[in-house]
Amino acid sequence: MNISYEAYRVFYYTAKTRSFTQAANALGNSQPNITRTIRNLERELGCPLFIRSNRQVTLTAEGEALYRHVTIAVEQLQAAEEELAR
């Protein structure tokens, strides 16, 4: 599996905001790009990560498990970037 950090970052913001649109806004991206990235990630991992509804998305059990791990990684990378910036 060769999944990019960017795909996990998109997943992180989508899961955190529970919205493709809000994730797009936070990342300075478009909602269709966010949706496409999540679909590709789900295809690569072989499981659904979100339950989609009209106004929001909810994590599946697999999505919850992935979110726990991705959150640690993203927060560690953000902390490293901040440390290096000082």
Side-chain angles (χ1 to χ4, degrees):
M1 232 177 274
N2 191 18
I3 299 170
S4 71
Y5 168 69
E6 185 61 23
Y8 285 123
R9 191 167 165 254
V10 167
F11 168 77
Y12 170 78
Y13 279 96
T14 304
K16 184 177 177 179
T17 62
R18 303 287 198 244
S19 166
F20 291 123
T21 302
Q22 288 181 26
N25 291 339
L27 294 167
N29 209 322
S30 70
Q31 183 271 327
N33 284 341
I34 298 299
T35 300
R36 187 177 314 108
T37 300
I38 294 298
R39 282 196 182 127
N40 290 340
L41 181 60
E42 289 174 325
R43 189 176 320 115
E44 185 73 25
L45 293 173
C47 62
L49 301 171
F50 294 99
I51 299 167
R52 291 144 172 92
S53 67
N54 290 342
R55 293 231 176 246
Q56 68 177 24
V57 293
T58 306
L59 288 167
T60 62
E62 296 87 353
E64 289 280 357
L66 182 61
Y67 184 66
R68 285 192 301 273
H69 293 283
V70 169
T71 297
I72 294 166
V74 169
E75 289 175 355
Q76 286 294 311
L77 289 168
Q78 288 173 342
E81 289 172 352
E82 291 169 9
E83 183 178 325
L84 293 174
R86 285 182 279 209

